[in-house]
Amino acid sequence: MTGPELAGPPPTTTSIPDLVREHAGHAALSGVWLNQLGGLTFRAGDRYLKWSPAGVDLTGEMERLTWAGTWHPVPEVVDFVDGDERGQVLVTHALRGSNAVDERWVREPRRAAWAIGEALRALHDQLPVAACPFLWYPIQEAELPSVDHLVVCHGDPCAPNTILADDGHWVGHVDLGRLGVGDRWVDLAVGSANLDDNFGPGHQDAYFEAYGIERDEERIRFYRALWDAAP
């Protein structure tokens, strides 16, 4: 269960779009990720530059980062550039720390799973539902189960989107392009399943315990199936 954003290895330096080069400053660029929509992410010093090809709009992610940053640690938006046919670039300050599937945390999977669960609970507790202008919505039409508890969902709660400090505590979240109000099991179901992809089986109990909730098998099955059916 890797999700629709995860597609391939970091882009090489030969594949850097001109729009990215123009807004990287003097720092050296290194490739970070390639997603299924052809989008590329690069790091330049203490900044990340996320590029999308023409027709793939990053405006929503920029707006969600700006909104969420009032209450919860997320990357600060530095710049947003719309280059028309050359695509878009979203420039953000990097959060201090490493993502939860860094090699170090793969060697300490239970510790990572616990921190990911704690971080998700913090996000759900800190982001105010009443003030959120965004709604979570399934990628395809579906009749949703009754709501257990409304929160502002991350929307793509896979392990790499949680940032951890060197001491193992959570720092914040990245990649908030699908953030919006929805049932907390939207995140819990997908986030717990993704632990198996990144750390192997056996760590979901730590995740749910850290979040502070018992498993809801019916909602877990539903939201995992919904995620897996996404194009």
Side-chain angles (χ1 to χ4, degrees):
M1 179 173 290
T2 54
E5 280 296 310
L6 310 183
T12 66
T13 55
T14 59
S15 63
I16 300 174
D18 291 341
L19 200 62
V20 171
R21 293 184 186 276
E22 292 169 9
H23 293 86
H26 299 293
L29 284 162
S30 58
V32 176
W33 201 250
L34 161 68
N35 68 31
Q36 286 186 336
L37 300 177
L40 306 171
T41 300
F42 300 87
R43 183 157 188 166
D46 65 349
R47 297 183 299 163
Y48 281 95
L49 294 90
K50 186 172 185 177
W51 173 86
S52 67
V56 180
D57 194 1
L58 293 178
T59 303
E61 182 169 358
M62 180 268 293
E63 292 174 343
R64 285 166 169 79
L65 284 170
T66 301
W67 177 83
T70 301
W71 295 279
H72 184 77
V74 300
E76 177 188 359
V77 175
V78 177
D79 199 5
F80 179 73
V81 182
D82 189 339
D84 295 323
E85 71 280 357
R86 298 197 297 162
Q88 296 176 336
V89 172
L90 174 61
V91 185
T92 59
H93 275 303
L95 293 175
R96 292 181 178 271
S98 57
N99 76 54
V101 297
D102 183 81
E103 183 177 340
R104 173 187 173 177
W105 303 120
V106 172
R107 295 195 299 267
E108 299 183 67
R110 179 176 173 80
R111 193 175 180 188
W114 185 278
I116 294 167
E118 283 189 326
L120 185 63
R121 181 58 184 257
L123 182 142
H124 288 173
D125 286 348
Q126 292 171 1
L127 296 182
V129 171
C132 183
F134 311 108
L135 292 176
W136 173 85
Y137 56 90
I139 295 176
Q140 66 285 330
E141 291 187 11
E143 184 177 347
L144 303 180
S146 62
V147 172
D148 170 44
H149 181 67
L150 280 179
V151 298
V152 179
C153 298
H154 183 288
D156 186 4
C158 299
N161 290 337
T162 301
I163 305 300
L164 305 184
D166 290 343
D167 63 4
H169 290 90
W170 67 271
V171 172
H173 288 93
V174 300
D175 286 350
L176 272 65
R178 298 196 65 218
L179 176 142
V181 174
D183 193 333
R184 60 186 171 184
W185 288 99
V186 170
D187 282 346
L188 284 163
V190 173
S192 56
N194 184 254
L195 297 175
D196 293 356
D197 294 326
N198 287 289
F199 305 118
H203 308 292
Q204 293 188 26
D205 287 347
Y207 172 88
F208 286 116
E209 184 179 351
Y211 185 94
I213 197 170
E214 297 291 329
R215 297 175 66 98
D216 183 327
E217 298 297 346
E218 182 179 351
R219 289 185 172 88
I220 287 173
R221 284 193 298 271
F222 177 85
Y223 285 111
R224 287 180 182 176
L226 193 65
W227 180 268
D228 288 341

